[in-house]
Amino acid sequence: MENTRNITEDLIYIGASDRKIALFESVYPVPNGISYNSYLLKDNKTVLFDTVDKSVEESFFENLKYALGGKKLDYMIINHMEPDHSAMIKRTTELYPDIKIVCNQKTKQLICQFFNLENEFENKFQIVKEGDTLNTGKHELTFVMAPMVHWPEVMVTYDKTDKILFSADAFGSFGAINGNLFDDEVDFASLIPEYGRYYTNIVGKYGMQVNMLLNKAKNIEIKTICPLHGLVIRKNIEKIVEKYYNWANYKSSKKSVLIAYTSVYGSTQNTAEILAAKLAQKGICDIKMYDVSMTHDSYIISDIFEYSHIVLASTTYNNGIFVNMENLINEIISHNIQNKIWAFIENGSWAPVCGDLMREKISQIKNTTILDKKVTIKSSPDKTAKEDIVKLAEAIINSLN
Ligand code: FEO
């Protein structure tokens, strides 16, 4: 199949895209599909960089055969063992029996677990550790460990010869490859929100580990990034590295307010709208509002990373937090989203309790500021509640300034 593309004279893209998938990892909506990237280096020795997901199995093997052009396959480097990249390891090894699987010790253990291998592949592994190199002729490949970006076994590989970083999940994105493989062939700026949604939801929890990888990357010259999902990046490297630095350090790119609400009969929404209007009247721009029941958490999580101030407005439900808001808060906590300023609005017709419950949950996150002013409404905002909304707006504006 000729849907391969050359990245350099020696390096060929042999991945494939799935546009039928609804939920990536059974969680994240991917309306524009997803690509599973794999690369073949043709040097004196041939090297396959990761495999693909089961859904694109046939395309991958056709691409691999076509790209090899009759050469034998010498090495398969496994940078990441998650099955969306590793599903084809066993079949590749069976089809190319002389292959060496190059990976670290943790990856080997996971390969044996996933494929229920005892000793079948024992003589096929070439175990590498931090700083080890593999010479393939013209190219020298160096292995750099990147644990928890996104799984514990993750490593990245650097081709010193062409200054290419095979970055595993890092610098990837949701979205299929539509012929245009390189970032300079598309409107890259318009794709940044999907890079953000991918990063924040998939590896957003591991800011410290991403920082460690960014620090290692500082010391090497990178001309091209080949990630396991999304575009090959060669023009916007500085831009994407800067975005990663901000996301990894939970730096808000927008000094503004994101209001996320759940509302059963409209009063909590109305209260959120009043707050947004008061803030806008005082000159706050770029306010964002989400009905948590209508938008998938992954989009809200991604925007929460960008905003400095977050207001959560919820209905009390079963003497607790409304279920969709509670799910969002659990996601916020599990993604460890730090350095935000939070405020809460609660509704409850006879026993409003969810404001304190939301506060209690959010206060578990490190480096969190919570504004004292809480708005309580009973069924619909009365005079006192409306005065409190004005006070909350003032408190938010003061802290923005
Ligand atoms: Fe795309 Fe962590 O796998």
Side-chain angles (χ1 to χ4, degrees), residues 18 46 57 79 126 141 150 166 170 172 193 213 224 253 265 271 274 276 294 296 313 321 336 339-340 353 375 391:
D18 183 356
T46 54
E57 176 173 6
N79 284 316
Q126 181 166 325
L141 307 173
H150 157 225
F166 297 89
L213 178 61
T224 307
S253 65
Y265 296 111
T271 308
I274 296 170
M294 296 304 293
H296 191 271
I321 304 166
N336 192 25
N339 298 335
K340 304 291 169 190
V353 294
V375 176
K391 286 179 193 158

Side-chain angles (χ1 to χ4, degrees), residues 2-7 13 15-17 19 32 34-37 39 173-188 190-191 195 225 227 229-234 236:
E2 301 189 28
N3 65 355
T4 61
R5 280 198 69 184
N6 270 73
I7 295 166
Y13 177 82
S17 290
R19 293 182 188 79
N32 300 313
I34 184 93
S35 75
Y36 302 105
N37 297 349
Y39 307 91
S173 178
F174 298 130
I177 299 288
N178 304 311
N180 297 121
L181 176 64
F182 299 97
D183 62 328
D184 48 79
E185 296 177 338
V186 299
D187 177 8
F188 188 72
S190 72
L191 301 177
Y195 275 84
I225 296 175
H229 299 288
L231 299 162
V232 170
I233 304 173
R234 58 187 181 188
N236 294 284

Side-chain angles (χ1 to χ4, degrees), residues 136-153:
T136 61
K138 198 173 111 190
H139 293 261
E140 186 180 295
L141 307 173
T142 306
F143 305 103
V144 177
M145 302 303 129
M148 297 320 296
V149 184
H150 157 225
W151 276 19
E153 88 298 354

Side-chain angles (χ1 to χ4, degrees), residues 24-25 80 82 84-85 150-151 154 169 198 202 228-229:
F24 178 68
E25 291 188 357
H80 186 15
E82 193 164 5
D84 54 331
H85 310 293
H150 157 225
W151 276 19
V154 171
D169 272 344
Y198 169 89
I202 306 281
L228 288 177
H229 299 288

Side-chain angles (χ1 to χ4, degrees), residues 27-29 174 197 200-201 295-303:
V27 184
Y28 307 111
F174 298 130
R197 191 166 69 91
T200 55
N201 285 281
T295 305
H296 191 271
D297 284 348
S298 64
Y299 292 90
I300 308 173
I301 290 288
S302 168
D303 259 344

Side-chain angles (χ1 to χ4, degrees), residues 261-263 266-274 289 291:
Y261 65 86
T262 54
S263 191
S267 284
T268 314
Q269 177 183 349
N270 187 27
T271 308
E273 305 276 11
I274 296 170
M289 295 186 73
D291 182 330

Side-chain angles (χ1 to χ4, degrees), residues 301-332:
I301 290 288
S302 168
D303 259 344
I304 289 176
F305 266 76
E306 304 292 351
Y307 276 75
S308 60
H309 289 64
I310 318 295
V311 179
L312 302 181
S314 179
T315 311
T316 300
Y317 207 71
N318 290 329
N319 208 28
I321 304 166
F322 188 78
V323 58
N324 295 338
M325 180 60 80
E326 186 154 31
N327 287 344
L328 175 67
I329 291 172
N330 289 342
E331 286 284 300
I332 291 166

